[in-house]
Amino acid sequence: MAALLAAAAPVTRERLDRFVTLTGLSVTPANARQVIDHFTVLRRWRLITLVVAVPPALLTDDPFYLVVGWCAVSVFHGVRSPAPISRTPGDADVHRRAWLLGSAAAAVAGVHLLTSRDVTPALLAHAGIVVVVMAAVPLVARRTSAGPASGEPGAAVRAGQAAGHWSARGLYLAGTAIVLSGVILTPGRPPLPETPEYSSAKPAPKWTATFTTVRGYKEPTCSWSGHLDAPCRSWRVNGTPFPQAAPYVIRPGGAPRLAPFVRSPDKKAVVYLGRDDRRMAYQDARGVHRLTGALADTAVPTPAFLGQNRYVVLNGDGAQVIDTRTWAPVPVPGARRVHDLNGSGTVFTTASQVLVADLWGRTRMSLPLRKKVKDSPEDTYHLRPDGRRLVVIRGREGRVETFDVTTGRLLRGVVPRFRGDDFIDVGLGWSEQGSFLVRGAVSERVYHLDLSTGKLWRRDG
């Protein structure tokens, strides 16, 4: 409203005195009307542009439109002039340099805004107006640099020169104001609605769940985009939330997947992806140990336990094995996935083979890698502590095969005889007595398996 009143006010004597002082023009009866008409036209057009600019400024809460409404006349009045204005005095160079400096600063700031923020309609509108003004100012400046038309009376010539000087000064100052305000002024943000007292946001849990034995665990069951603190959004260990584990990972080109979470065969430890720091972590009754640095979702590995829970393997683009006693990495060159590791050697797979290697990396035995069938368990491989036998559990058939590592020959293949509907879940390696241990998938009971006959038995204690 104040801008509209200022634009509608008539030309005052103080304004004319200021014009005379800055231009050095002597106002006479012959040129007074020419000077007054110049300012009257500018005031009239400024009032019109402000009337047009006020509604969008109020609707968008963006003061930039008021700056444009006030300054646009000084920029575009020269464009609509039917003939060139007189040559401007040399002190206009100061305003031209200010314009060039302001334009360079606005260009740099504008590029930064467009590349570092989300592109919004308001930002695009600012950019469009700034580009138009930056193109218009040099055009008008070229028109004002021409000499006056010949044949005019001397007083009129001097008045035209003074008006040209004033217009050139206003052109550069108004253009600088518009381009700088275009990158400085931003739309106002409406206040956030107050949250009702009865529905205050519940913060995500920050406590760390602990355990001694992982009797059971369950995966998240609800949508990945729901509330972070919903019980179905977290892993559950022994029936209680396990909030430190990330529930999902998001990878390009597919739906979110469950984040890695694996329990050790002896149920004493778990490995998972940390929810807050996105690092792979090992946790048991003693506490949490970080296994990696922060990981992008596309680089999250698949964890597994090896060697009677002695080792953790992180399978991915390059397999990484970590000793849980010393937390030192165990190098396995060329491995795509490591299946077992002990004091006698390593079992790992490449793109097409299953290899048994000694601790120096020399290959002792190889088998062709079977292609995994959809929805069937993968084959698992277990190396006896003395390195002489390799046990392969065929996930598709539930068959247990024993190989001689030295010769690579198949010694025996058996199918364990469980009671009822139970079947083999996982191999647990060798017991201290030298027998191979397996766990039932339904009963979760641990059995000793005779690799020659397939007979199962249990020894309590």
Side-chain angles (χ1 to χ4, degrees):
M1 183 61 68
L4 289 174
L5 292 176
V11 179
T12 63
R13 178 178 295 275
E14 290 76 11
R15 183 60 176 260
L16 293 177
D17 292 341
R18 186 163 174 260
F19 172 77
V20 169
T21 301
L22 290 176
T23 60
L25 175 69
S26 296
V27 179
T28 65
N31 61 22
R33 174 50 54 189
Q34 184 180 357
V35 173
I36 294 174
D37 288 346
H38 173 76
F39 283 105
T40 301
V41 171
L42 289 179
R43 287 293 181 92
R44 183 185 305 121
W45 280 105
R46 179 165 290 131
L47 181 61
I48 293 173
T49 55
L50 279 173
V51 170
V52 175
V54 166
L58 294 177
L59 291 174
T60 61
D61 195 17
D62 191 348
F64 173 64
Y65 294 108
L66 292 179
V67 177
V68 175
W70 184 269
C71 299
V73 174
S74 297
V75 175
F76 296 102
H77 181 67
V79 174
R80 61 179 294 276
S81 298
I85 308 172
S86 59
R87 183 180 302 276
T88 60
D91 61 350
D93 288 342
V94 176
H95 302 108
R96 184 176 61 84
R97 294 190 186 99
W99 152 254
L100 294 175
L101 182 61
S103 299
V108 173
V111 171
H112 173 72
L113 289 176
L114 291 173
T115 55
S116 63
R117 296 184 182 179
D118 293 335
V119 178
T120 62
L123 194 59
L124 289 177
H126 283 214
I129 293 173
V130 168
V131 169
V132 171
V133 170
M134 293 180 73
V137 169
L139 173 64
V140 177
R142 284 195 296 269
R143 293 175 64 87
T144 60
S145 65
S150 61
E152 297 183 12
V157 171
R158 289 192 296 272
Q161 290 176 339
H165 176 208
W166 188 269
S167 297
R169 175 181 176 274
L171 167 70
Y172 289 128
L173 292 179
T176 304
I178 291 176
V179 297
L180 288 180
S181 61
V183 295
I184 295 175
L185 300 179
T186 56
R189 295 182 179 179
L192 296 175
E194 294 185 2
T195 305
E197 295 182 359
Y198 59 85
S199 62
S200 59
K202 182 179 178 182
K206 296 297 183 182
W207 54 277
T208 300
T210 59
F211 58 85
T212 301
T213 300
V214 182
R215 298 183 301 275
Y217 65 96
K218 293 184 178 180
E219 62 192 35
T221 56
C222 63
S223 171
W224 71 276
S225 60
H227 296 290
L228 286 175
D229 56 349
C232 61
R233 270 300 309 271
S234 65
W235 290 87
R236 302 178 72 83
V237 172
N238 299 336
T240 60
F242 201 75
Q244 61 263 39
Y248 295 95
V249 293
I250 303 173
R251 294 175 178 172
R257 302 177 183 177
L258 284 173
F261 190 101
V262 61
R263 177 180 63 175
S264 65
D266 64 358
K267 303 182 181 181
K268 300 296 183 182
V270 293
V271 172
Y272 56 87
L273 177 67
R275 189 188 69 183
D276 297 322
D277 58 13
R278 312 302 285 185
R279 300 166 64 187
M280 296 300 298
Y282 172 98
Q283 182 172 341
D284 58 13
R286 296 171 295 178
V288 179
H289 190 90
R290 306 299 176 185
L291 302 177
T292 68
L295 299 169
D297 281 10
T298 54
V300 173
T302 301
F305 284 88
L306 303 177
Q308 296 284 29
N309 315 309
R310 169 73 182 273
Y311 304 97
V312 172
V313 59
L314 304 176
N315 292 306
D317 291 339
Q320 180 182 2
V321 180
I322 301 169
D323 189 328
T324 60
R325 294 183 185 176
T326 63
W327 303 113
V330 179
V332 186
R336 173 173 290 187
R337 179 171 181 179
V338 179
H339 296 273
D340 200 2
L341 185 150
N342 58 36
S344 298
T346 309
V347 183
F348 62 92
T349 53
T350 63
S352 60
Q353 289 184 306
V354 181
L355 300 179
V356 179
D358 59 23
L359 297 180
W360 294 270
R362 295 173 298 194
T363 301
R364 300 181 58 202
M365 173 186 168
S366 65
L367 293 173
L369 179 64
R370 295 203 319 177
K371 184 177 180 181
K372 183 182 181 301
V373 177
K374 184 179 180 181
D375 298 331
S376 66
E378 293 185 350
D379 295 348
T380 58
Y381 306 88
H382 306 269
L383 184 64
R384 202 163 74 177
D386 61 8
R388 297 174 58 188
R389 297 288 185 268
L390 175 69
V391 171
V392 181
I393 301 177
R394 302 297 184 183
R396 192 188 318 169
E397 304 90 351
R399 181 180 177 86
V400 181
E401 299 176 348
T402 305
F403 291 84
D404 185 304
V405 173
T406 303
T407 63
R409 185 168 59 93
L410 175 63
L411 300 178
R412 189 78 63 177
V414 298
V415 177
R417 299 191 295 270
F418 288 88
R419 294 182 179 180
D421 296 331
D422 208 357
F423 57 93
I424 191 169
D425 176 33
V426 64
L428 303 177
W430 276 263
S431 68
E432 295 181 356
Q433 293 78 18
S435 58
F436 188 71
L437 301 176
V438 297
R439 186 172 66 210
V442 178
S443 65
E444 294 191 352
R445 293 179 177 178
V446 177
Y447 296 90
H448 296 257
L449 171 64
D450 188 324
L451 296 173
S452 299
T453 64
K455 179 181 178 181
L456 300 169
W457 74 94
R458 297 190 66 201
R459 295 179 183 174
D460 297 328

